[in-house]
Every structure is written in C-alpha cells, then in structure tokens.
Amino acid sequence: MEVEQRHFKNAEAAGKFTESSDNQPPSLSSSVHTLDLGVSSSVNLTFTNSKIRSDEEHIRALKGLRNCVLLAVLLLVLSLAIIGAVILAIFWISNQEAPFDYAMIFDAGSTHTEMVIYKWQADKFNGTGVVSQVASCDMKGGIGVVLREDPAATAPGYLGPCVAQGLAAIPEARRGHSPVYLAATAGMRLVRSESTSDARRILASVERTLERAAAGEGGMLIGVNGVRIISGQEEAVAGWISANYLLRTIYPKPARMVGMLDMGGASTQITFVHQEDPTSLGAFSATEHDTTLRLYGATHELYARSYMCFGQGQLLNRYLVLLVKDLLESTQSLVLPDLIQVKSPCHHLDYKETMMFRDFVNVCSETLFTSELKNITVNLEGSSNSSECKVKIKELLDTNHCLNTFTSKDCFSKPATHPPDTIFVAVSGFHYVMDYLGFSNKEHPAPDNFSRDVDKWCSMTWEDLKVSHPGIREEYLSLVCFNAQYQAHLLFDGYGIKEDTWKNIDFLKKINGTSVGWTLGFTIRSTNAFPQEQASAPSQTIAFLSSIFVLAVCIGVCLTLIFSILAKNHCRSNQISIK
C-alpha cells in the first residue's frame, strides 16, 4: 500500500515535470529578461521623480522671482506714496503759515533820506510784528534842502528810483496790504520853524509823488498821516525800541533793557526805562517826556527826551555865532566890517576856513543882531585852546546864557535822573567820535583819562593831525575836537553820567550786525495798528484732501500686499501650508 502511494506521488511529480517539459520550461534568457524589466522600471521611476522635483524647484524659483519683483514694485510704490504724502504735508504746513506784511519806510533826515523795506508775519507775536529788513536805498541830501526851491519838480526824480527799488522787493500779491510812510525828523522840524508854508509844500509834493509811484503804480497803501514830521520824542522812542529789539531784551520776552543815547546833526536824544518813584507807591512822577509802550504783550514806561538844536551840526552853528558875537562885543565898533577874523579855540592851530556868516545862521542860531551880519565874510582860524573850548561849550549848554543869546527857546535843561545801573547804548555821533579817538573797538578809558585824551587831541596842530590820521576826511577831522568836548560835557554835566556809570555806556555803530536807526523801532511800533491776519488754508482744499486719501489707500494696499508676500515666503520656508 505504501508502495502504491509513494508510486502515486512520484508519478504525480513526474507528471508535473512532464507537463512542465511539454510547456518549454524557462530558460536562462527569460530569467535575464525578467531581471532587466525590473531594473528598467526602477530607473524610469527614479528619473520621473527627479524630473518632478526639478520642475517643482523651477516653479518655486519662478514664484520666488515673481514675488521678489512684485515686492520691489510694491516697495517702490510705497516709497513714492510716502514721499508724496510728505510733500503734500509740507505743502499744507507751509500754507498754514500766515503771509508776510511789508512796509516801505522813508527816513527823511537833515543830511540824507533813506528808504527801508521791512517785513513781518501778519499773525504777529502777542499783537506786535517780528520785523526784519529786506532792502534799503539811500538818497543824498535831506528833503528840506533838496526839495525846498521847487518840490513839485524835484520830488519825482529824488524819490522815484528808490520807490522802484522798494517795490521790486515786495511781492505783488502783498502790496495791497503794505503801507508807505515818510517820517521827517529834525531837519524838517527846522524848516517848519523857519517857514510853515515851505514845510507844507515839501510834504505835499512828497505825498503826491509817493501816491503816484508807490500807490498808483505799485498798489501800496498811503494812509492818513503817512507823510509827516515826527516829534523828537517819537524819534527817541523808536531808537530805543530798535536797540532793545536787536539786543532781544523786549522780544521774545522782556529782559534787562538798555537806555539809548543818540547824537544827530540837528538834535540829540536820551531814552531809558523810567525809574519808579518810591514815595508814590510804585508809580513814577509823570512828565511831558514820559510815554507808555505796549510791545509783544508787555508794557514799558519810558522817559524819552529830544533836544532840538543840540545835534552836533546845530550846536556848531551856535558856537560860530557866539564867536562872532563875542568878537564884535569886545571891539565895540559902531561900523560893521565886511570881513572879520575869528579865533576858534575848538579848532586846531593852523586850521583856516572862510565862510559867510549867513551860512551858519538859522532858526537855532538866530540872535537879535544876526540879521545885520548875514553878508559878513568870516575867516576862521584855529587856536588849539582846549580849556577855552570847554568854556564856550559850557556857555552853550547853560540855560540862562542860551535864553539871553538866541531867539529860539530851545535851550538845554537836565533830563530826569536815570537809574544808576542803566546800561546805555550810544550811537551815531557818539560812536563816530569814539571811533576817531580810537576807543570804539576796545573798552573806553576812565573819565579822567578820556578828558586827558580829548585835550591831547585838541592840542595837536592841523598839519600834525592830518599826517597822523590820513584815512579821515578833513571835513570830519576838523570837527572831532569840538564834538568830543561837547559830548564829554553833555554826558557828564548834562546827563549826569558818573565815573562809576561811565563804564555802562557802549558806543556802537551796529548791534548784532545791524545798524541802529529809529526806522526799525518806528516800524515795530506801527505794526500794533495793523490787523492780525491768520494763516490761510490751501486754495484747492478738496483736491488736497482727495490726494491725501488716494495716497493713504495706496500705502495701505501696498503694506497689505507686502505683508502677505512676506508671510507666504516665511510659511513656505518653514513648510507651513496656507490655503
């Protein structure tokens, strides 16, 4: 049985083998083919995966490049939008500033006329304009001299060129807001004293010329009293304002203020902050020379006094008349000569000058006898006598002597007492004398030394003086002795300057680079009367706001897109999926 089963299994196995043989059992080549097919499929799959990865990297690179370009464009647009917004903001802010007002001011002095253009922002500071100079123009000769004979014919040619220059410095759009002032000082005060009709004719011709040239053609404003003769006190106060404004003691906030000493040709002024009277509960004793100012929101109580006929030029005229008077009284001659020889102690030895008596006679130097002497020729000779010069100066400043000698009652009397700690700024003639004496650029000497130096100067001969000071014009050089002796007597004996307060005087030509004159202070004070003008908005407000809105939207969109691109790049680099 077992044999049969084994036989059967063997037979079965043999049958399978036979079947397999009948079906051509696999050869070596078929096995190799099957092996090759497996390898080829694996290689193809690897190649396909590599190609897919390469395509994906290429696509990612293209997307990255596209994002970089888009990001750069967005950043450019954002930058332009921000720049545009900044420019528009600057435009808006600049248009929020108040416009400038301008003024054309004429300083009609005794020896020349000066036109100055000033400007200030119309919104002002506490009611007063912050003024600065724009342009200036000078006209030779005072209007009281140049225009006196025929003012209607000479005024246009005299004023016209400077008016044209002034108009060129003022924007056309602001001329309708800009006033014109001509303020005449001591020179025209003298003309008015001599002849009221002459003064009126001169001022009327000046006003017509300015109305035609500045107002008619230029469109500027000439108000009531735009052309006038200002008082000596107005001039003194204006000079005080100028000095303290330039020193920044009244603006932007009050500080310790200086007094003002001004020496002109026809008058001299003294101005200072008034000393309070301790016996009257803080109030000072008011006089005709006191004035109250309100500038930049603060109130100032001033003592301001002008002395007509005590400018250097007019006092010299009085001095020459006094020399002739004393000579004639000493000779007691009943017959008036045609020519007289006069010794001048205030002029240098060997100095000589010939003049007509009428040349130095006017309303300031008129006496009871001058009308009889107007045709006399005077030969003036210097004597370099400093002590005698001082005597003559003292007589000229003596009130009783003045009243008994001159018909004009413009005589000197001492001003109110200034506070002992007052610092004075001395300008114009005061500065020039100190400059000629060599003290303007250094600390001036003590009073005794100053007097000694003046005496030394006055003792020099005319020839020695010209040799030692070749840079000074002879017409000025010849008067330094007289002017120095006069100023020394005026300051010490007249104004009450003491030895310890002498050092508190600064003799200046300029303050912070600007010449000290009364026109600046006159303009500052005048701005109080001008209406305050607020800042104006841009004329095309709707367009401006629309532009700001568009730029804001553009900036917002750009920032959103930039953030989105940066966020996607960040997530992709960190394999974070964003759908």
Side-chain angles (χ1 to χ4, degrees), residues 310 318 322 325 393-414:
F310 284 87
R318 284 189 170 185
L322 186 62
K325 172 180 173 293
I393 297 294
K394 187 176 182 179
E395 289 180 358
L396 291 171
L397 290 177
D398 182 82
T399 303
N400 291 328
H401 185 276
C402 172
L403 293 173
N404 293 328
T405 304
F406 303 102
T407 56
S408 169
K409 302 309 175 185
D410 290 307
C411 295
F412 185 83
S413 60
K414 291 186 177 183

Side-chain angles (χ1 to χ4, degrees), residues 272-293 299-303 416:
F272 52 86
V273 177
H274 209 296
Q275 185 175 24
E276 293 184 348
D277 186 350
T279 65
S280 57
L281 301 178
F284 58 82
S285 302
T287 70
E288 60 179 322
H289 307 295
D290 296 314
T291 186
T292 301
L293 284 179
T299 301
H300 310 283
E301 306 289 350
L302 301 181
Y303 180 89

Side-chain angles (χ1 to χ4, degrees), residues 347-400:
H347 286 82
H348 298 274
L349 186 66
D350 299 329
Y351 175 81
K352 296 180 180 181
E353 183 180 0
T354 299
M355 62 191 78
M356 296 298 295
F357 184 80
R358 60 174 175 267
D359 293 338
F360 48 84
V361 175
N362 57 27
V363 65
C364 282
S365 55
E366 189 77 50
T367 68
L368 294 177
F369 66 88
T370 49
S371 59
E372 302 175 3
L373 305 176
K374 287 187 176 180
N375 293 323
I376 290 180
T377 300
V378 178
N379 283 341
L380 187 72
E381 296 181 1
S383 60
S384 294
N385 192 331
S386 185
S387 59
E388 182 64 24
C389 178
K390 292 177 183 178
V391 172
K392 294 298 182 183
I393 297 294
K394 187 176 182 179
E395 289 180 358
L396 291 171
L397 290 177
D398 182 82
T399 303
N400 291 328

Side-chain angles (χ1 to χ4, degrees), residues 97-171:
E97 294 183 354
F100 279 97
D101 279 334
Y102 294 78
M104 182 183 292
I105 309 295
F106 288 85
D107 170 12
S110 56
T111 59
H112 79 291
T113 298
E114 183 182 24
M115 183 280 301
V116 187
I117 301 294
Y118 293 105
K119 72 174 183 178
W120 64 94
Q121 280 194 299
D123 56 352
K124 300 190 285 187
F125 181 85
N126 288 338
T128 307
V130 181
V131 177
S132 60
Q133 182 174 323
V134 177
S136 65
C137 179
D138 195 69
M139 290 147 274
K140 294 182 179 180
I143 62 173
V145 177
V146 177
L147 307 184
R148 191 158 188 175
E149 286 190 15
D150 191 354
T154 53
Y158 178 75
L159 298 168
C162 283
V163 171
Q165 184 174 328
L167 288 174
I170 301 175

Side-chain angles (χ1 to χ4, degrees), residues 12-133:
E12 183 179 19
K16 288 182 178 180
F17 178 79
T18 302
E19 179 179 2
S20 177
S21 297
D22 293 341
N23 292 331
Q24 295 179 349
S27 64
L28 180 60
S29 61
S30 66
S31 299
V32 173
H33 176 74
T34 303
L35 179 61
D36 289 344
L37 179 61
V39 173
S40 176
S41 298
S42 176
V43 171
N44 290 337
L45 181 60
T46 302
F47 176 76
T48 302
N49 291 337
S50 176
K51 183 178 182 182
I52 291 171
R53 284 194 299 271
S54 177
D55 290 342
E56 288 177 349
E57 290 175 357
H58 181 66
I59 292 171
R60 282 197 299 269
L62 289 176
K63 288 183 178 180
L65 179 61
R66 182 194 64 186
N67 289 341
C68 288
V69 172
L70 181 59
L71 185 62
V73 172
L74 288 173
L75 288 174
L76 177 61
V77 174
L78 178 62
S79 301
L80 293 176
I82 292 173
I83 292 172
V86 171
I87 292 174
L88 284 174
I90 293 173
F91 172 77
W92 176 269
I93 293 172
S94 64
N95 277 273
Q96 291 301 305
E97 294 183 354
F100 279 97
D101 279 334
Y102 294 78
M104 182 183 292
I105 309 295
F106 288 85
D107 170 12
S110 56
T111 59
H112 79 291
T113 298
E114 183 182 24
M115 183 280 301
V116 187
I117 301 294
Y118 293 105
K119 72 174 183 178
W120 64 94
Q121 280 194 299
D123 56 352
K124 300 190 285 187
F125 181 85
N126 288 338
T128 307
V130 181
V131 177
S132 60
Q133 182 174 323

